[in-house]
Amino acid sequence: METAPSSFRINLFKYSGVGLGIAVSGQKDVPGVTITAVSKGSKAEKNGLVEPGDIILEVNNIDVTKMDYTETTDLLKGLPVNTNVDLLLKPREGYVAHINSILSNGTMRTKRVTIRQKITMQSVKSSFKRFFTRTSLKTSLNEYPLQINQPSKTDSNKNERTKQSIYLNGQENGNVSCVGFRQENCSNAPNDTPLARPCYKMATDNEESQDDGRIIQINHSMNSVVQPLIQKSSYEKLEEKNVDGKIHIHCEETKLIPKPEQCKLPAVPEEDGDRRHVTTSATTKRFLRLKNVMDDGIVFTDTLHHKAIEPMECTSGRCLASVMSTAPQRLPGEPREKQELLAHATDFLEQYYASFKRLNTQAHQKRLEEVIASVDTTGSYDLTSSELTFGAKTAWRNAPRCIGRIQWSKLQVFDARHITSTRGMYEAICNHIKYSTNKGNIRSSITVFPHRREARHDFRIWNAQFIKYAGYRQEDGTVIGDPSSVEFTKICERLGWKGKCGRFDVLPLVLSADGQDPDLYEIPPELVFEVQIKHPRYDWFSDLGLKWYALPAVSEMIFDCGGLEFTAAPFNGWYMGTEIGTRNFCDTGRYNMLQIVAERMGLDTSTTSTLWKDRAVVEINIAVVYSFQSVNATVTDHHAASESFMKHLHKEQAVRNGCPADWVWIVPPISGSLTAVFHQEMVNYKLRPSYEYQENAWKVHVWKKDRDQNRTKQVGSAKKRILFRQIARTVRFSANLMSKALTKRVKCLILYATETGKSEHYAGTLSQLFSKAFDVQKMCMEEYDVSNLEHETIVMVVASTFGNGDAPANGEMFGRQLYAMAFPEEVNRGVQKVNAYLYKSLSTDEMVLPEGLPPKGAAGGKSDALERKASKTSMLDQSGSLSNVRFSVFGLGSSAYPNFCAFGVLINRLLQNLGAECIQPMVQGDEMGGQEGAFRKWSNSAFKSACETFCLSEHIDNNPDIDATDQSWSADRFRLTVCKDAQEYDICTGLSKLHHHRTVVPCTMLSRTQLQASKSSRQTILICLDSEGADELTYMPGDHIGVFPVNNSKMVDSVVARLDGVPDPDVVVKSEILQYESGPQDTVQKWKTNDRLPICTIRTALARYLDITTPPTQSFIGHLAELATDEVERKALHVLANDSTAYEEWKFESFPSIVDVLEAFPSVRVVASLLVSELPLMKHRFYSISSSPQAYPGQIHMTVAVVQYTTKGGKFHSGVCSSWLNTMEEGTILPCFVRPAPKFHLPSDDSVPVIMVGPGTGIAPFRSFWQQRKVDKYMKPTADTAKGQLPFGPMQLYFGCRTADGDNIYKEETSTAKAEGVLSSVYTALSREPNRPKIYVQDLLRQNGESIYYNIVGRGGHFYVCGDVSMAADVFIALEDILLNNSSMTTEEAKDYLLKLKDTNRFHEDIFGVTLRTAEVAKKTRLQSKDHRNSLTSVKHGDKEDREMQHRDGNNTENGSSVCMDEFSTHL
């Protein structure tokens, strides 16, 4: 034979009695025999020339690759003893070896050198090709004839070609990539036709090569990630022989495709034995047609079977459908070779990334490369958590023998791959039992232990099921208990277990970890949910003493996923009644109760013609179902199970074009023809991932004691070793030892979306709480890949709402993607965005608000667009894509807005529509009052619900408190440390680190202009900033600028003066926290940096990073109470900290800052670490940009209302940012950033009308609009209507203020713009003009209703409104009135039309919170909370005097013009 690459020759001596010192075995699809072991102390071991895994190719120059295993072993055994034997060896796949001879100390020594072969992408592709070639055709097909005729001259010009296919077992194997064939003259060919010579020129994907009428075409079956990297030259002829005038060729990755006019394929008679049918696509189909014999209208066309990567054991000559299991392909305990592993991994990754439409993406390619590198280095790789979850669910989906697969997507996956001991396995199993049993309400789940990495290092559960009854064989041959457990019961007894010899003794768990000897564990009795069997009519039935366990947890199968074999992966569903009633109770090899029941029923059992067996088995099954249902234990009858499987079959046909199903197993054991599945044709095939049978653990286990003597013995002697030599360690644990088994195993994802950090802060607090019992991951929505959502276990959402219903910038994409998942038909129709206006149509009836606050919906009411969509979508099905996800949502917002917490409401509804299970109703935290208390109640309730869901209630404190998290401040766990020689960051860098999702850059103040007259009681200023050309500050008209203010220096000094134990507030310090760490021997404590603030001085922290003006939270007041030295003050602080009503009253009366609190409680000893750790972070203020970047290059203008007010308690306050801007010097640096507002930009078509409504500082963005329009008109030539150019559309401004002389800001600019034709009209509403009635902008809109209707409806114009929420609501009502008065629309149609304008981005709102009426709104909220009213009175329903104080002139916002509020409303 030709010498194989990397082969080498050695010489061994065959000793008498010892032999060659090697053990061999045969492997399928591998030439020769393989050396599996080298005897200890033998010559073969000492010289080091032979290693396990080597393949023997020749023995004394005799080629054994053509021999089968028996012939080769006979040859080796027949070699004479005391002679030398020459062997040609090849190292195992993935390695290369050679023999070196070296001279050492005058002696020639021979040494073997074995190195790992470098894995390349090319070798992976070749392996993929070779592996699936081998597994698809286990017997070479070149034995089977394919007769081909010569071409006819008359048909030689025809171009039609027919693709030839290979059929296995009468079914087309479209995925077979290796085809062997034999060419011979056809019997009906002309006599003078010469034998056609084969063509060996290989064709590429779409190329063909032709020679003598023969065509060979490449059939690529590799996945699309691997295929592009394969070199076409790798396809080559493997073998050619001329036997008896017939050419035999075997080509890899090829298929013969003859032209129909050049050859005819006569019918090939079926032969005896293992023969495959070969036919052409002219007579075959690319799918299997499956009919339902009872319903001619049901026909399935299965194409999924083409993806089967492993053939069935059945052939055309024999059917093995009723065989329980098939022999393993490899030796027990042997891991896959590298190339085979990579072939499976490549296929699995293709399935995984295709499942969420990421096939062939960069992420897919990167992951494949990671796997290749890992396999190259370690011989294996690890699945990610998401891959594991996907694989486990898909394996259940692929299980052809399971009738209950309709629930496959709800499988709960517990990742136990971190476990290394049997005790860890035991604890995980106990918690699996407890979780899945769920007090009888069975939940499907799987626990996955580490996969096989090395031979004989498996994790195994020796039990066939977690819970099974023992069987005791008596001396007379009878069995007490379950006869199917007799053998395993003996194993347990030999391991030290002592049963009670009862009929229903629960067997212990026998577990082995990492190939070690097994340990035995008792299952706590309280975990075993057993059902006493009784009958609804026969009272005597309970006297039979029958019972059965409710949890069918299979534990002996292997989970094969991505080439990795998880030998311990127990899983469970729930029982179908016939499994217990018919099989377990009635089988003669089980409890055999059939005749006993029949006799108690009085049936004639003397002859089968009385059908006593049928009558008795039905009653037994009735008893089983009745008994389970009586105790609320999950069970399904066989008719319901059959119907559910038919639904599953229909779903799978629609989604995957096929469903593997084993008819023999799917049809129930009784009433077969009465069920729907009996009449349905099915096709069985093997897909990966899958669950497979494996050898019993006790038959293949290699015992560690006396291992050297037993290692080469046959596994059949395992019983003897157990009986005489092995007594395993018997360890019994009570249920109390399972305290933390599930902790850190159940994943919990916490998602947040925020603008200023409040939601992130709450998410961090929630993370600390949930980390007590769960494996927590906290992520911002913009960082999360929504495709992983279906693989999550628990999802907790903390989401703020920006403005009047918008998503925060870092949550908008997540909302869109979630919407696309819930309503894919919308996306398919081209609807690409989800905006705030959709939220207005959400129903909030089911939402839970803080105590006393009623649901606050939008103007649209309950019935809405999303509700209608939900009713039409399949996602409402309980088997939705997120059906296995548990979730809860906490929404943040301000009840001053009509669309209160709209983004959180949307996320909550979408998760429900996708099938996720809500474990705690949504709670809305109102920034106007009670938000912190609402969050505390929600988080504690959600935590308890999550623990109860996953059976963790007893593993945590009975009353977990949100304040008791690891991050809660205490004097002994937090400290400030001086940073010697350290410099604090510049303010912009520090703020960027603090707000990691923002890039803060410096701006220089150029000028400040007072816009209102001196006689006005209010101040509005125009701030001009120099952006210094920063790219980060590029903007468009309508965008916002965020500014980080500076606290008042006097307030900072007041706080510094109260600090205790701080010698120098101007020294750079860092905050540290004392945390626990697990050391080698014990848990240790270490001080770690608290990254909440960058390193800085205490004065800088109080001035720039911390908010010292907002009223302290209740938790902060609680800390102050502990630091108070006066008993009276301590009690008063405790009341505020624990009584939410008292706290809200106190906050409403005085709106106190931290300075006010310290003044009111002088005995409080203020600790600096408390302020640094617990005070809220300084939030930025948003202002609408009031300039055009083309009109004022390099500049940003802001229109700011200066806020000053006196609280009800008589305390004077001023706005933090507006007061700072009003007093700063020119040249001062402002930390800023730009926030795009794409929904508030000018229309791309400048010919459409633009109507702008902006009272007071709401005019700010419109100043940028008319400046931009002026630039556009200057830059663009006059429209030439002859060439289709349209003139600029009209631009109308509706402005409102108090008086014309004192408050009409930008009066000169608007007059000039109107005179220049930039503004077509300017309307001013005066609400406080002497001797005139009060006029508001909505009144002017109604007066010009006809014009507005024409511009909006007739000309497709855009409508913009900027101002406070109550004004915007009044404008919305005015537009409804205009539509009603100028058209035939109904009220509902008018509302729908306005919502449609918003959805199409023609109605633009930039709404901000109010400040001068904050106290008023807070008062209403407080009163409603006390009175438990059912609705929150909208401001727009107040009287005229109320509205006078609600800044109809818009000049009283803290955040200046158009502040788009999120969870932080504007503070006074």
Side-chain angles (χ1 to χ4, degrees), residues 63 73 94 106 130 135 349 430 676 691 769 837 1057 1107 1109 1138 1196 1243 1416:
D63 184 4
T73 53
R130 291 195 304 270
T135 57
L349 289 177
C430 286
Y691 299 109
L769 176 63
Y837 313 119
D1107 185 353
T1109 62
N1138 299 294
I1196 298 177
E1416 174 193 352

Side-chain angles (χ1 to χ4, degrees), residues 9 30 175 488 530 601 770 792 800 867 895 909 1351:
R9 291 187 182 275
V30 178
N175 223 22
F488 185 67
E530 293 180 294
M601 291 175 62
F770 270 71
E792 302 294 347
S800 63
E867 199 71 39
S895 58
R909 181 57 53 83
N1351 284 321

Side-chain angles (χ1 to χ4, degrees), residues 92-106:
R92 58 178 171 156
E93 189 172 1
Y95 289 81
V96 294
H98 62 275
I99 303 298
N100 282 346
S101 296
I102 59 175
L103 186 64
S104 176
N105 297 326

Side-chain angles (χ1 to χ4, degrees), residues 1075-1095:
Q1075 292 184 334
Y1076 289 91
E1077 277 192 357
S1078 297
Q1081 303 296 331
D1082 201 356
T1083 302
V1084 296
Q1085 289 182 311
K1086 288 186 178 180
W1087 286 101
K1088 290 192 172 183
T1089 300
N1090 183 3
D1091 295 327
R1092 187 169 188 259
L1093 295 182
I1095 59 171

Side-chain angles (χ1 to χ4, degrees), residues 259-271:
K259 292 183 180 180
E261 68 275 10
Q262 294 175 341
C263 67
K264 296 180 181 179
L265 295 175
V268 180
E270 182 175 339
E271 302 180 32

Side-chain angles (χ1 to χ4, degrees), residues 322-343:
S322 60
V323 175
M324 178 68 180
S325 62
T326 56
Q329 295 184 1
R330 296 183 313 283
L331 291 177
E334 292 288 336
R336 285 187 167 100
E337 294 292 338
K338 287 185 180 181
Q339 302 298 340
E340 182 180 350
L341 171 61
L342 285 172

Side-chain angles (χ1 to χ4, degrees), residues 435-584:
Y435 170 83
S436 298
T437 302
N438 192 29
K439 300 178 182 180
N441 186 17
I442 305 299
R443 297 183 285 198
S444 302
S445 59
I446 180 174
T447 298
V448 183
F449 295 102
H451 69 263
R452 174 183 292 160
R453 293 182 181 272
E454 302 178 55
R456 308 297 180 184
H457 284 268
D458 291 348
F459 285 72
R460 291 297 301 269
I461 301 172
W462 291 36
N463 308 60
Q465 296 184 30
F466 281 164
I467 304 170
K468 199 169 184 181
Y469 296 127
Y472 309 95
R473 187 171 298 280
Q474 306 302 300
E475 293 181 358
D476 60 359
T478 60
V479 175
I480 298 176
D482 191 344
S484 68
S485 300
V486 168
E487 183 178 10
F488 185 67
T489 301
K490 291 181 180 179
I491 299 295
C492 294
E493 291 174 337
R494 291 164 186 166
L495 290 172
W497 180 69
K498 295 181 180 180
K500 298 179 181 179
C501 206
R503 295 174 68 196
F504 299 100
D505 295 344
V506 176
L507 286 164
L509 292 169
V510 180
L511 312 173
S512 58
D514 198 26
Q516 300 300 311
D517 290 345
D519 290 326
L520 185 146
Y521 298 85
E522 293 276 11
I523 300 177
E526 59 269 24
L527 295 185
V528 181
F529 190 104
E530 293 180 294
V531 179
Q532 304 293 329
I533 307 301
K534 56 185 178 180
H535 197 279
R537 296 188 306 276
Y538 301 125
D539 294 337
W540 51 262
F541 207 99
S542 57
D543 298 336
L544 298 176
L546 298 178
K547 64 178 178 179
W548 206 257
Y549 47 88
L551 183 70
V554 178
S555 55
E556 65 179 350
M557 298 187 75
I558 192 170
F559 170 38
D560 193 335
C561 180
L564 305 177
E565 296 170 302
F566 297 88
T567 51
F571 58 90
N572 74 275
W574 51 79
Y575 271 119
M576 181 170 68
T578 54
E579 297 177 84
I580 303 172
T582 304
R583 301 302 311 281
N584 298 339

